[in-house]
Amino acid sequence: MNFTLHQLKVFITIVEHKSITKAANELNMTQPAASIQLKNFQDQFEIPLSEVIGRQFYVTEFGKEIYQIAQEILNKTETIQYKTEAFKGLLSGKLRISVVSTGNYVMPYFLNGFLKKHPNVELVLDVSNKTNVIKDLEQNLVDFSLVTVSPTHLEINELPIMENNLVLVASKNNTLLNNDNNEKSIFKTIPLIFREEGSGTRHTMMEFFKQEKIAPKTQLVLTSNEAIKQAVVADIGVSIVSLLSIKNELLQNEIKIIPTKGLPLQSTWKLIYLKKKELSPVAAAFLAYVASEKESVYKQYFDWLDAILE
């Protein structure tokens, strides 16, 4: 066999996108050039790595095994580069992190100092819902994921970072909920705006309702935290959201927190990674940075939470 690292990269990217065209776009190649590289790589095996049925690209079982090996080879190659840079006193390479959407209010503050300290590190940050974030982790596409709800089907390590508090919010003009300490039973009558299935916030909410034997009324289902906030500001309904996500709306007096028994709902932001994963020097350095700096980052950027929760 005489395959190249470039062919491995092309094959991996095509498998991950399940499309030669999309892979070519990501790799800044033409579609015919990517097809030629794939063919040259596949021709070195007697067993097919992929097949096209109709216009859909499929990876064979053998191809999936070669994909895993190809990933390991490229990871080792990158490690050689990282270690070479490290011996020169530099930390370089890619740091890949997937973050649930509300975690976008958390992760940048932990990345800020690290990236300034190591300017040669290239960050790849993907923000999605919990289902997609866990899928990225399971497929070993990222070094870390930031979540509040850990997957139960994966063997993972966890680094707790900070608490996440979910509160009931309404528009400043909402007059339906003016009591200082509403009973939990209000959720049986007030229309709620929900996040979509697969959201960590929704999961925490539904666990609370299940425990309290409450069947909440659903007003609307929206697919982003920003959309929910705008709907609340417009007084379309009320919702349970992360306190982290409404700092600006509170400062601008667009949203108010409704005191309610049983709230805030509490969970923990965690940086998680696969136990079997061999962390690159960059990933290991970031993990150590977060572990040592999480308290100072909290004091610098998040101490406003304590004043509101008192």
Side-chain angles (χ1 to χ4, degrees):
M1 290 188 181
N2 190 28
F3 54 78
T4 66
L5 294 177
H6 181 59
Q7 287 173 350
L8 291 179
K9 179 64 175 176
V10 171
F11 175 65
I12 287 173
T13 308
I14 291 173
V15 171
E16 290 175 352
H17 286 283
K18 298 180 180 178
S19 165
I20 296 175
T21 302
K22 291 180 180 178
N25 289 336
E26 179 174 320
L27 295 169
N28 294 317
M29 301 172 64
T30 64
Q31 191 272 343
S35 296
I36 290 171
Q37 291 297 322
L38 176 63
K39 182 179 184 303
N40 291 341
F41 182 62
Q42 291 192 128
D43 285 347
Q44 300 181 65
F45 301 90
E46 296 180 3
I47 304 172
L49 303 179
S50 64
E51 56 186 356
V52 177
I53 301 176
R55 302 183 68 178
Q56 183 65 45
F57 179 88
Y58 294 94
V59 184
T60 65
E61 288 301 315
F62 179 65
K64 291 177 182 178
E65 293 190 18
I66 298 301
Y67 166 78
Q68 295 293 337
I69 296 171
Q71 275 193 317
E72 293 174 9
I73 292 173
L74 285 188
N75 287 340
K76 292 294 184 182
T77 304
E78 289 182 351
T79 300
I80 292 174
Q81 179 183 345
Y82 304 156
K83 288 187 179 294
T84 302
E85 296 292 337
F87 269 97
K88 294 191 294 184
L90 301 172
L91 186 67
S92 65
K94 287 185 179 180
L95 176 63
R96 300 177 178 88
I97 304 176
S98 59
V99 178
V100 294
S101 55
T102 311
N104 203 33
Y105 299 100
V106 177
M107 183 50 64
Y109 300 100
F110 288 90
L111 288 164
N112 178 33
F114 180 77
L115 294 176
K116 286 181 177 177
K117 185 177 180 181
H118 304 290
N120 292 328
V121 170
E122 179 183 348
L123 174 66
V124 180
L125 182 66
D126 182 48
V127 180
S128 188
N129 66 20
K130 180 175 72 75
T131 300
N132 291 330
V133 166
I134 297 304
K135 186 182 297 183
D136 285 345
L137 186 71
E138 184 174 11
Q139 295 178 353
N140 198 30
L141 300 179
V142 295
D143 299 305
F144 303 104
S145 292
L146 182 69
V147 297
T148 56
V149 181
S150 298
T152 57
H153 66 292
L154 297 177
E155 293 187 0
I156 58 171
N157 290 319
E158 300 182 350
L159 175 63
I161 294 180
M162 59 182 284
E163 285 188 352
N164 183 43
N165 292 277
L166 303 180
V167 294
L168 179 64
V169 294
S171 166
K172 67 174 183 177
N173 300 317
N174 187 292
T175 58
L176 295 177
L177 302 168
N178 287 330
N179 294 331
D180 291 334
N181 200 2
N182 293 288
E183 295 291 333
K184 300 173 187 175
S185 58
I186 65 169
F187 292 112
K188 296 179 180 179
T189 57
I190 60 170
L192 278 173
I193 302 174
F194 279 76
R195 280 292 302 274
E196 80 285 9
E197 292 283 354
S199 157
T201 298
R202 178 166 179 146
H203 175 86
T204 302
M205 288 170 57
M206 297 311 294
E207 286 295 307
F208 168 71
F209 293 138
K210 181 179 178 181
Q211 179 180 332
E212 298 297 328
K213 297 180 173 57
I214 293 173
K217 292 183 63 177
T218 303
Q219 168 89 356
L220 191 63
V221 176
L222 297 175
T223 57
S224 76
N225 195 68
E226 290 300 317
I228 287 179
K229 288 195 299 181
Q230 292 306 312
V232 171
V233 170
D235 204 16
I236 293 175
V238 300
S239 189
I240 295 177
V241 300
S242 173
L243 181 56
L244 280 165
S245 68
I246 57 171
K247 180 180 181 180
N248 291 336
E249 287 75 16
L250 290 173
L251 289 174
Q252 294 167 13
N253 194 30
E254 296 176 328
I255 279 178
K256 60 184 177 182
I257 297 174
I258 308 298
T260 308
K261 286 185 178 179
L263 271 62
L265 304 179
Q266 291 185 331
S267 56
T268 302
W269 287 110
K270 295 167 284 190
L271 202 62
I272 64 174
Y273 58 101
L274 296 174
K275 280 187 175 181
K276 64 181 180 181
K277 185 174 182 64
E278 181 180 348
L279 295 179
S280 70
V282 171
F286 180 67
L287 186 67
Y289 175 85
V290 174
S292 64
E293 299 296 326
K294 60 181 182 178
E295 292 182 7
S296 62
V297 170
Y298 184 90
K299 288 180 181 179
Q300 183 175 359
Y301 296 107
F302 300 109
D303 60 353
W304 61 272
L305 295 167
D306 298 331
I308 293 178
L309 292 170
E310 286 179 355

